[in-house]
Amino acid sequence: MLTSKQRAYLRGLSNGIDTILYIGKGEITDNILKQADSALNARELIKGKVLENSVYSSREAANLVSEKCNADVVQVIGSKFVLYRENEDEPKIVLPKAKSR
């Protein structure tokens, strides 16, 4: 679970990345999930887009892909969404520490 500070940090990083995951008019297939999973392993932070002819809203698609790939939804704006999953073996993004209570 991401804190608001970590989410804000990841939103800032996501501004500079390209959209690599596109969800079109069909269902979210195993191939789309495999693509998202391998991209999350390689990059940790990915941006996706739901095309206009899709049966999913961007929020629905982001939630479904993040649930299947065990990732966190960072942001959903318009037709785009950003997902994050830490790579346990080789972390590339260092998140700000969560404050302890």
Side-chain angles (χ1 to χ4, degrees), residues 57-71:
S57 70
S58 51
R59 173 65 66 186
E60 291 170 337
N63 288 337
L64 185 63
V65 173
S66 69
E67 182 181 309
K68 299 284 185 183
C69 293
N70 196 24

Side-chain angles (χ1 to χ4, degrees), residues 38-94:
S38 64
L40 284 165
N41 281 338
R43 303 172 183 219
E44 294 185 325
L45 190 68
I46 63 170
K47 191 182 288 185
K49 181 174 182 173
V50 178
L51 303 178
E52 288 181 22
N53 58 357
S54 177
V55 297
Y56 297 102
S57 70
S58 51
R59 173 65 66 186
E60 291 170 337
N63 288 337
L64 185 63
V65 173
S66 69
E67 182 181 309
K68 299 284 185 183
C69 293
N70 196 24
D72 289 308
V73 178
V74 174
Q75 174 178 26
V76 178
I77 292 184
S79 63
K80 295 189 178 186
F81 60 91
V82 178
L83 302 177
Y84 169 77
R85 183 179 71 199
E86 182 180 9
N87 185 335
E88 299 291 333
D89 301 329
E90 300 174 24
K92 293 170 181 48
I93 298 172
V94 178

